[in-house]
Amino acid sequence: MFDVSPATVETALQRFFTGARLRAAAYGDHYVALWDALEVASQGGKRVRPALVLAAYDGFGGRDQSLATPVAVSFELLHTAFLIHDDVIDRDLARRGVANIAGRFNDRAVAHGAAADQAGIWAAAAAILAGDLALSEAHRALALLPVDAAMRARLLDLLDRAVFVSAAGELADVTNTAAREPLSVAEVIATLEHKTAVYSFEGPLQAGAVLAGATDAAIDALGEFGRLVGVAFQLTDDILGVYGDPAKTGKSVVADLREGKQTALIAHAGTTPAWSIIAPLMGKPDLSEAEADLARSHLTACGARNAAENLAQDHVDRAIAALDPEHIPAALRARLIDLADAAVNRVR
Amino acid sequence: MFDVSPATVETALQRFFTGARLRAAAYGDHYVALWDALEVASQGGKRVRPALVLAAYDGFGGRDQSLATPVAVSFELLHTAFLIHDDVIDRDLARRGVANIAGRFNDRAVAHGAAADQAGIWAAAAAILAGDLALSEAHRALALLPVDAAMRARLLDLLDRAVFVSAAGELADVTNTAAREPLSVAEVIATLEHKTAVYSFEGPLQAGAVLAGATDAAIDALGEFGRLVGVAFQLTDDILGVYGDPAKTGKSVVADLREGKQTALIAHAGTTPAWSIIAPLMGKPDLSEAEADLARSHLTACGARNAAENLAQDHVDRAIAALDPEHIPAALRARLIDLADAAVNRVR
């Protein structure tokens, strides 16, 4: 289906890490281990962002693999950098049940005889530096693209917006934790859009389209589609984080409740009389399975589940409506509609 | 003296922060506060890196302020990013006695009713994100430079090397803490070169020279000069950190001893019989003034102070020797010799 192939993105990433590791050898084993850990951190995801760059580029008739690949690599490494720094902020030592960069360097420090507090510093240093290295390469991949100045500036502006808005969203996600009352649904949606949808959906789609020379109307439409689909994905994630089947999603259904995560479910529940029962269960670190069941049944009974599901579907509908057939080629439009439907129809 | 003026760098930085703050307003007060904190973090230094970019550019006949300024801004913001992330790694809440970004957001969290552990997360998030934003702009300033592809690639390679080598040096600085024996003098020097000299001296000087169209021989000479002077500066800093006058340097003379910082002083002392007396005092968090005096007198008596001072002077001599008059214009050479002498002849 693609003239531009996802396999080429994998090859480009492998080549980048192989080169970095060779250079790193001159600076000692720890630095090589850092690059190993960074490469592992960049793997295991679904490569959603490269796929969106390539889909948009291909969809508007782009055929130059040597241009599309670095743009796809750029957004993937931006994602890697954000995940790594997000883990530092959340003080996580694992991701998807596997030791992350901090976890690996914590263990490495202990193996080298470091005391516990020193090991924590090794862990933080490794993860912060690895994120910086991934972020730097995300910029470099675009900066070196052999395109004219106007094209380069447009692509760099998309990357700049992705970084700027994601930082705002990440900060909001953290500062929201001090709120004693549930957020409004609008606040929840804004945070999802800023923290994730812009850099994961809007940016990659628009970058692929810009690179292929799409019209401004098409690029605007893809941006709106991306923001709405990105929010729909995150809303669905949050529903699955309470009601999903962990065997299928690989996601705990008590972790979000224990953390007191500010989701659309909670935002809606906060506007209902059921909140007085649900509130004491939210953010309870030792929430039992029985208490989680209780919270779940009240979230359903008060209409929060229904409201969140409708909200996600509404975002999908609006995303599809943004894809004006006058501006978006039919084949690309069909693929994006499939993507939008998949956002809300996932394994439960 | 300059056709290209440091004042223009200040103006460019101010304009960048003013623009960012305006954009940030759409994302809430916390994000505006983050940009305020980042601007403060970028101030108060001596603008060494911009001065070196401009000196080299001017020294090789460069006259285009609109090219030199973004390069100078790039290396200054790289420095800002590194300082901010270094503070996160070291868990510092202040720099030069003033609350840093983490310190400001820790206070901000408390003022917003956050619990102590939440405040720590606000602090880490703000500092990590601020560093990411500064690092991103360092890349963007170079990427947007209106020069041809070959020139852009050369400048981007210098920035890439600065990031790559500094990360190696920062990691080494952290992993060195697990060493139970003193490092060798060579290991101390390598860490100083990688963590600081490459991005602070080599990179800015070479970038200014490349931009002005200097010869390869000249660029190589500036690189060697930069690495050697950078190490001389750091060696002198470490000597002042034990023997300096805090009233003049603004630097404690017990902090490095209490931390057990791996310096050339300690590396040398580790090779002498005096080490058995000095070792128990190193890294003692509650080291008294009297114990610090004892360590100081033994470091002098065993020859460590002398050795470190000679090592710094030796680096200065070799740095000056690298400035082959055949390749380096006389006026630039004179300025760089003054700079090299100042590296070791500072307030005691």
Side-chain angles (χ1 to χ4, degrees):
Chain A
M1 183 168 212
F2 275 130
D3 277 356
V4 283
S5 145
T8 313
V9 175
E10 295 306 318
T11 305
L13 284 165
Q14 277 167 21
R15 194 168 299 159
F16 166 64
F17 284 111
T18 301
R21 224 178 347 247
L22 283 172
R23 285 169 78 190
Y27 301 91
D29 290 347
H30 293 308
Y31 200 41
V32 175
L34 182 70
W35 278 100
D36 286 338
L38 177 52
E39 181 165 22
V40 171
S42 78
Q43 296 167 337
K46 299 190 192 104
R47 304 286 195 227
V48 170
R49 294 146 198 89
L52 293 175
V53 170
L54 299 185
Y57 184 65
D58 181 74
F60 287 101
R63 292 294 175 265
D64 189 341
Q65 184 95 39
S66 73
L67 295 182
T69 299
V71 176
V73 164
S74 173
F75 278 94
E76 186 64 10
L77 288 177
L78 183 67
H79 174 56
T80 301
F82 285 160
L83 289 188
I84 292 170
H85 281 179
D86 190 51
D87 277 355
V88 181
I89 291 167
D90 294 341
R91 298 176 185 170
D92 290 329
L93 295 180
R95 181 168 280 270
R96 299 191 203 97
V98 178
N100 61 13
I101 295 179
R104 288 167 71 119
F105 267 76
N106 192 80
D107 296 346
R108 189 175 179 87
V110 171
H112 278 78
D117 63 327
Q118 283 178 337
I121 294 178
W122 283 43
I128 289 171
L129 293 170
D132 289 349
L133 292 166
L135 179 60
S136 289
E137 187 62 19
H139 286 280
R140 181 173 162 83
L142 278 198
L144 286 172
L145 212 63
V147 293
D148 66 29
M151 173 65 80
R152 181 176 306 104
R154 291 180 73 186
L155 293 170
L156 289 171
D157 280 354
L158 291 175
L159 183 64
D160 181 58
R161 174 169 153 81
V163 171
F164 189 92
V165 176
S166 303
E170 176 83 18
L171 186 68
D173 202 33
V174 167
T175 55
N176 283 345
T177 59
R180 290 203 191 75
E181 301 299 316
L183 300 179
S184 69
V185 171
E187 287 169 323
V188 168
I189 288 172
T191 302
L192 296 179
E193 179 181 315
H194 299 156
K195 185 179 171 183
T196 307
V198 168
Y199 94 81
S200 300
F201 293 86
E202 179 199 280
L205 284 169
Q206 289 192 325
V210 163
L211 191 63
T215 64
D216 287 350
I219 292 162
D220 287 347
L222 286 187
E224 191 179 350
F225 171 85
R227 289 188 297 278
L228 289 162
V229 161
V231 169
F233 254 103
Q234 301 299 308
L235 287 169
T236 305
D237 264 354
D238 286 346
I239 296 167
L240 293 174
V242 173
Y243 292 104
D245 176 352
K248 291 183 186 158
T249 64
K251 211 181 150 174
S252 156
V253 284
V254 290
D256 284 2
L257 295 172
R258 285 182 181 155
E259 184 196 314
K261 187 174 178 188
Q262 300 268 16
T263 65
L265 289 168
I266 302 306
H268 186 274
T271 66
T272 72
W275 183 241
S276 60
I277 303 164
I278 296 167
L281 302 169
M282 290 299 99
K284 198 165 175 275
D286 58 349
L287 189 81
S288 69
E289 294 288 343
E291 288 172 319
D293 281 342
L294 183 67
R296 215 171 276 127
S297 67
H298 281 286
L299 284 168
T300 305
C302 79
R305 179 181 186 166
N306 220 358
E309 288 178 349
N310 288 342
L311 195 61
Q313 186 59 53
D314 174 60
H315 276 74
V316 167
D317 295 342
R318 287 161 58 205
I320 292 171
L323 298 175
D324 186 340
E326 192 190 330
H327 300 303
I328 311 295
L332 175 61
R333 192 166 173 275
R335 296 189 64 194
L336 293 177
I337 290 173
D338 284 349
L339 173 80
D341 286 333
V344 289
N345 295 311
R346 283 184 282 163
V347 284
R348 294 278 152 105
Chain B
M1 182 167 213
F2 275 129
D3 277 356
V4 283
S5 146
T8 314
V9 175
E10 294 306 317
T11 305
L13 284 166
Q14 278 167 22
R15 194 168 298 158
F16 166 64
F17 285 111
T18 301
R21 222 175 354 244
L22 284 171
R23 285 169 79 190
Y27 302 91
D29 290 347
H30 292 308
Y31 200 41
V32 175
L34 182 69
W35 278 99
D36 286 340
L38 177 53
E39 180 165 23
V40 171
S42 78
Q43 296 167 338
K46 300 192 192 102
R47 303 288 195 226
V48 170
R49 294 146 199 88
L52 294 175
V53 170
L54 300 185
Y57 183 66
D58 180 74
F60 287 100
R63 293 293 175 266
D64 190 341
Q65 184 94 40
S66 72
L67 296 182
T69 299
V71 176
V73 164
S74 173
F75 278 94
E76 187 63 10
L77 288 177
L78 183 67
H79 174 55
T80 301
F82 285 159
L83 289 188
I84 292 169
H85 281 179
D86 189 50
D87 278 356
V88 181
I89 291 167
D90 293 340
R91 299 176 185 168
D92 290 328
L93 294 179
R95 181 169 279 270
R96 301 191 202 97
V98 179
N100 60 14
I101 294 179
R104 288 166 72 121
F105 267 77
N106 191 79
D107 296 347
R108 190 175 179 89
V110 171
H112 279 78
D117 63 327
Q118 283 177 336
I121 293 178
W122 284 43
I128 289 171
L129 294 169
D132 288 349
L133 293 165
L135 179 60
S136 289
E137 187 63 19
H139 286 280
R140 181 173 161 83
L142 278 199
L144 287 172
L145 211 63
V147 293
D148 67 29
M151 172 66 81
R152 181 176 306 105
R154 290 180 72 186
L155 294 170
L156 289 170
D157 280 353
L158 291 175
L159 183 64
D160 181 58
R161 173 169 155 81
V163 171
F164 189 92
V165 176
S166 303
E170 177 83 18
L171 187 67
D173 203 32
V174 167
T175 54
N176 283 345
T177 59
R180 291 203 191 75
E181 301 298 315
L183 299 179
S184 69
V185 170
E187 287 169 324
V188 168
I189 289 174
T191 302
L192 297 178
E193 179 181 314
H194 299 157
K195 183 177 172 184
T196 308
V198 167
Y199 94 82
S200 299
F201 294 85
E202 179 199 280
L205 284 170
Q206 289 193 325
V210 163
L211 191 64
T215 63
D216 287 349
I219 292 161
D220 287 346
L222 286 185
E224 192 179 350
F225 172 85
R227 289 189 296 278
L228 289 163
V229 160
V231 170
F233 254 103
Q234 300 299 309
L235 287 169
T236 304
D237 264 355
D238 286 345
I239 296 167
L240 293 174
V242 173
Y243 292 104
D245 176 352
K248 291 183 184 156
T249 64
K251 211 182 150 175
S252 156
V253 284
V254 290
D256 284 0
L257 296 173
R258 283 182 182 153
E259 186 195 311
K261 188 174 177 189
Q262 300 268 17
T263 65
L265 289 169
I266 302 307
H268 186 275
T271 66
T272 71
W275 184 242
S276 60
I277 304 164
I278 296 168
L281 302 169
M282 288 302 98
K284 197 164 175 277
D286 59 349
L287 189 80
S288 69
E289 294 289 344
E291 288 172 319
D293 281 340
L294 183 66
R296 216 170 275 127
S297 67
H298 281 287
L299 285 168
T300 305
C302 78
R305 179 180 185 167
N306 220 356
E309 288 178 349
N310 288 342
L311 195 61
Q313 187 59 53
D314 174 60
H315 277 73
V316 167
D317 295 343
R318 287 161 57 203
I320 293 172
L323 298 174
D324 186 340
E326 192 190 330
H327 301 301
I328 311 295
L332 175 60
R333 192 164 172 276
R335 297 188 63 195
L336 294 177
I337 290 173
D338 284 350
L339 173 79
D341 285 333
V344 289
N345 295 310
R346 283 184 284 164
V347 285
R348 293 276 153 107

